[in-house]
Amino acid sequence: MRIAVAALVVATLVSAPAVRLQPDRDQIERGTLRLHYVQKPIGYERYEITRDGDALTLSSDFDFTDRGGRVQLAATLRTKNDFTPLAFKATGKSYRFVNVDSEIRVDGSDALVRADGAEARVTLPAQFYTVDGYAPFAAQMLMLRYWKQHGQPRVLRTVPGLPINEVVIEPRGREAIRIGTAVVRLERYAIDGVVWGRETVWLDDQGSLAAAITRAGGLSFEAVREDLEPALVGFVQRATRDRIGDLENLTRQMPLLKSGTYAMVGATIVDGTGRQAIADGVVVVRDGRIADVGSRDTITVPADVPTVAVAGKTIVPGLWDMHTHVTQIEWAPVYLAAGVTTVRDMGNELEFVTALRDAIDSGRALGPRLLLAGLVDGGGPDAFGVVYAATAEEAKQVVATYHDAGFQQIKIYTLVTPPIVAAICAEAHRFGMTVTGHVPNGMTIEQAAAAGMDQIAHLAIRGDAGSDDVAKTIQFLKAHKTVIDPTQSWNELLGHAAGTPISAFQPAVTKIPAPLNRVFSNAGAAGIDAATARTRLERGLRIVKALHDAGVPVVVGTDEGIPGHSVHREIELYVEAGLTPMEALQAATIVPARAMKLDGEAGTLERGKRADMVVLNANPLESIRNIRAVRWTIRAGRVYDAPALWKSVRFLP
Ligand SMILES: [Zn+2]
């Protein structure tokens, strides 16, 4: 709780220095923020601000426990009285795999910036701030105060960056929230660039942080001042409306190269059925559907249909990502830019993901088609999210809630008990929904499949591909028609030797925005060498190959990873596993379409199907890396320019 004198004292900050009884070091403000992950309260950030002479020192202790794992960050920020930074230091973690170790010392117009073990001298712009990711939120609060006192510049440059990052702050209006009988007046801001994507931050009339909602490329993370906790869901809804509005704006500004009725003429067409590529092909698109597709000598393009010459290009079906968490609007342009036209969301905030789906379905917002799996966990202190089922009755309620909200699937999480897994599956099947998820604790993959889970996330198979046990498991999954999304690119991203640069296996890491780069720059397994990491990855890839050979459907999924680019990496890894480029492409197209019972509608380029397609600059059947060479993405007949999509969310094309 903030102390009572805070309002009084903050007011003096903006005027002349007050006469103090204890001039040497004076606590002038402190606050406690409740931290939440996907709305579940998981910890606190406690901060205090002291003054000595004409400098302020913010110290923050950021501390939460997520699914049994402790995450702590200690940070200090020393500023002048007008909040101009003098020194910043943050050590610890801001998320499970996000290690933070940065220190900035301002020295005149320069700063000595140490981040991730590297040190650099950076020339500072006239206006700047020191902030390293969303934590501590109190540093973002001081950044906002600085920005307000320094003319509200359109762009505020921040360190550490690569070398300097750009943050855009926009006031989004005032609002009042009611807590019991008290009315709290707040100002809302959109902050873009502290993390990848826009955050929503509220300050009260004293300039103190009331709430902040961030994503940082992962699931939603909410900080709410302790006394405002009852307004959590209200903050989430308000932030959701803001962000969907931003995506609608972005959509209006995005050039649409073609829509309606047209024919793409002259490309190589890989229709995804497994048939040979069609050289010099034609695709006729009419009102979002494929009206005709084939070689130029078999297709007659009606005289009134405009044509687009695409000789030299290759057209493939729109890609799918079967394991994602589309937690922020920036994913929508990213996925289209990467050629992904359908995604399955595997756990998210209900308010946000349904609003995003509806905005995309209505055509107000661009983005891939969103299929939703509703996450449910078993409850208790280590549970994930805020949707639990510990009894058969709760299982029914959860399934009904997700069904009513238009979800296609249920995603079971780790702490659901075996009888409740069976109850959820039975109820979901009764509604015509399918069930996917983690193999819950205390169950084997066979037991999970036998309990009714239609699909399994991640590669929950121990042992070696050649062993009898693994062969038996695979036969069991085959018999149960279980679908697997093995998320090998995610394993590679977190499991690579910490000393190996990500660019060694993911060349696109050089194209991602600086804050996202900082998130992943410290990811990786400590204490192992590159050969050990590779051996672990190859064990997984051999199982992927064995599953595929046995006829178990394997579908491409990333669990987010490097946005968009991890889809390409997942496909490449299947080729490394031994699938042909065609088979790997199908794992990202027709196989997931079948798994979601949408193969009559999507997944291949065939007459009558939805015009979801990717126009590539090179043929992925010649080298699977060419799947990265996206030129245009066609989503329900609308043609988007991939470079423009990338740039709209600060990626390099
Ligand atoms: Zn996931």
Side-chain angles (χ1 to χ4, degrees):
M1 189 80 72
R2 276 178 328 132
I3 57 169
V5 297
L8 172 75
V9 178
V10 173
T12 68
L13 290 179
V14 294
S15 58
V19 179
R20 316 294 310 198
L21 295 174
Q22 296 168 286
D24 51 328
R25 198 170 186 87
D26 219 352
Q27 186 191 79
I28 56 169
E29 188 177 341
R30 74 175 174 206
T32 298
L33 304 169
R34 196 91 208 261
L35 304 178
H36 310 75
Y37 192 49
V38 204
Q39 296 180 28
K40 182 191 167 151
I42 52 168
Y44 294 94
E45 177 181 332
R46 295 187 170 85
Y47 65 86
E48 66 165 33
I49 300 171
T50 57
R51 170 185 291 155
D52 56 300
D54 47 13
L56 302 172
T57 301
L58 163 76
S59 359
S60 167
D61 172 23
F62 175 91
D63 189 347
F64 69 80
T65 301
D66 170 34
R67 286 162 280 174
R70 184 102 181 257
V71 173
Q72 282 176 287
L73 182 86
T76 55
L77 169 60
R78 197 166 157 75
T79 74
K80 296 181 189 170
N81 267 333
D82 68 355
F83 307 111
T84 303
L86 297 167
F88 174 81
K89 188 170 173 12
T91 321
K93 283 174 187 277
S94 59
Y95 183 59
R96 289 190 293 167
F97 57 83
V98 182
N99 300 294
V100 179
D101 181 16
S102 48
E103 186 168 8
I104 299 151
R105 268 177 292 139
V106 177
D107 177 11
S109 59
D110 282 5
L112 197 61
V113 179
R114 185 179 60 74
D116 316 328
E119 213 168 76
R121 204 160 186 79
V122 173
T123 302
L124 294 168
Q127 294 183 328
F128 69 96
Y129 222 75
T130 56
V131 61
D132 192 10
Y134 56 76
F137 287 101
Q140 294 203 61
M141 170 180 82
L142 294 196
M143 178 184 77
L144 279 172
R145 290 185 193 170
Y146 170 91
W147 176 80
K148 282 165 84 169
Q149 275 200 29
H150 290 78
Q152 310 199 353
R154 201 191 69 77
V155 174
L156 182 59
R157 289 176 172 80
T158 65
V159 281
L162 291 172
I164 287 186
N165 186 43
E166 292 194 345
V167 171
V168 176
I169 300 169
E170 292 172 17
R172 287 296 175 91
R174 300 190 57 81
E175 60 211 9
I177 58 163
R178 188 176 288 278
I179 303 286
T181 55
V183 173
V184 185
R185 294 193 305 133
L186 303 173
E187 175 126 39
R188 193 173 74 255
Y189 298 87
I191 303 182
D192 185 11
V194 168
V195 297
W196 175 53
R198 292 171 181 82
E199 303 173 289
T200 314
V201 175
W202 291 261
L203 297 185
D204 68 13
D205 282 345
Q206 286 77 49
S208 287
L209 192 88
I213 296 181
T214 188
R215 259 90 182 189
L219 287 160
S220 55
F221 198 97
E222 301 96 2
V224 178
R225 205 170 70 200
E226 230 180 0
D227 56 310
L228 304 180
E229 177 74 13
L232 170 69
V233 173
F235 286 123
V236 168
Q237 288 166 339
R238 181 67 253 185
T240 295
R241 284 202 299 277
D242 252 16
R243 298 291 78 77
I244 300 292
D246 288 344
L247 182 60
E248 290 169 0
N249 272 334
L250 185 152
T251 302
R252 283 190 285 271
Q253 286 157 19
M254 186 60 58
L256 198 56
L257 304 182
K258 213 87 193 158
S259 64
T261 299
Y262 56 91
M264 295 240 164
V265 178
T268 298
I269 296 174
V270 177
D271 66 15
T273 60
R275 283 193 292 264
Q276 256 196 333
I278 303 163
D280 197 14
V282 174
V283 190
V284 181
V285 173
R286 195 182 292 278
D287 302 327
R289 299 259 156 194
I290 297 172
D292 219 344
V293 56
S295 68
R296 198 200 292 254
D297 35 311
T298 61
I299 304 282
T300 314
V301 179
D304 60 333
V305 172
T307 58
V308 186
V310 284
K313 310 285 188 211
T314 299
I315 304 182
V316 301
L319 307 179
W320 293 50
D321 186 345
M322 285 289 278
H323 190 140
T324 189
H325 305 269
V326 190
T327 58
Q328 55 186 67
I329 58 163
E330 290 80 9
W331 283 101
V334 156
Y335 269 128
L336 292 185
V340 176
T341 53
T342 309
V343 301
R344 174 180 60 186
D345 187 281
M346 287 283 262
N348 207 319
E349 266 178 339
L350 186 79
E351 295 85 350
F352 178 80
V353 81
T354 53
L356 180 62
R357 175 202 58 195
D358 294 346
I360 292 172
D361 283 352
S362 71
R364 284 180 284 123
L366 59 76
R369 175 173 174 153
L370 267 177
L371 307 174
L372 305 182
L375 191 143
V376 54
D377 205 356
D382 290 345
F384 183 45
V386 287
V387 179
Y388 310 129
T391 64
E393 195 42 49
E394 286 170 2
K396 283 190 170 180
Q397 280 167 13
V398 164
V399 173
T401 301
Y402 280 132
H403 180 260
D404 289 351
F407 283 60
Q408 282 79 10
Q409 276 191 325
I410 301 295
K411 180 190 182 183
I412 295 207
Y413 210 69
T414 322
L415 299 179
V416 181
T417 60
I420 302 305
V421 171
I424 289 170
C425 292
E427 190 66 5
H429 292 157
R430 207 170 66 77
F431 277 111
M433 300 168 81
T434 50
V435 179
T436 186
H438 290 204
V439 173
N441 289 347
M443 289 180 96
T444 63
I445 192 169
E446 288 94 334
Q447 288 165 340
M453 288 179 69
D454 307 280
Q455 308 190 7
I456 301 288
H458 309 299
L459 196 57
I461 301 174
R462 308 275 156 257
D464 274 311
S467 71
D468 287 352
D469 281 356
V470 169
K472 256 191 245 163
T473 299
I474 289 174
Q475 279 313 313
F476 187 93
L477 297 173
K478 162 74 180 156
H480 279 76
K481 301 186 166 64
T482 312
V483 175
I484 307 285
D485 76 85
T487 58
Q488 291 300 287
S489 54
W490 181 240
N491 289 18
E492 182 183 45
L493 188 58
L494 292 198
H496 76 279
T500 306
I502 290 172
S503 57
F505 55 87
Q506 176 51 275
V509 74
T510 55
K511 300 178 179 180
I512 71 179
L516 200 54
N517 208 318
R518 291 206 34 75
V519 164
F520 288 110
S521 61
N522 273 327
I528 60 166
D529 59 13
T532 308
R534 182 69 200 178
T535 302
R536 288 181 189 171
L537 180 67
E538 282 173 359
R539 189 197 70 83
L541 296 181
R542 279 195 297 274
I543 293 178
V544 168
K545 177 69 161 62
L547 285 165
H548 173 81
D549 288 349
V552 176
V554 171
V555 294
V556 161
T558 60
D559 212 356
E560 299 191 322
I562 304 289
H565 298 292
S566 276
V567 177
H568 304 149
R569 184 58 188 154
E570 187 78 17
I571 295 170
E572 288 170 359
L573 282 171
Y574 294 179
V575 173
E576 287 186 28
L579 276 68
T580 65
M582 174 63 87
E583 290 166 340
L585 179 66
Q586 288 179 316
T589 52
I590 187 63
V591 183
R594 271 188 220 120
M596 300 307 287
K597 302 186 175 78
L598 288 168
D599 48 316
E601 175 76 4
T604 55
L605 304 181
E606 293 179 278
R607 192 179 300 154
K609 286 196 178 183
R610 207 165 46 225
D612 286 352
M613 311 185 270
V614 194
V615 183
L616 299 164
N617 285 326
N619 187 341
L621 300 186
E622 286 165 10
S623 164
I624 198 62
R625 295 212 148 197
N626 293 338
I627 199 69
R628 296 174 179 273
V630 179
R631 182 65 191 85
W632 298 293
T633 297
I634 303 167
R635 159 80 167 110
R638 289 192 285 269
V639 185
Y640 295 98
D641 181 61
L645 290 163
W646 285 124
K647 285 187 234 162
S648 72
V649 284
R650 298 190 177 203
F651 280 63
L652 297 176

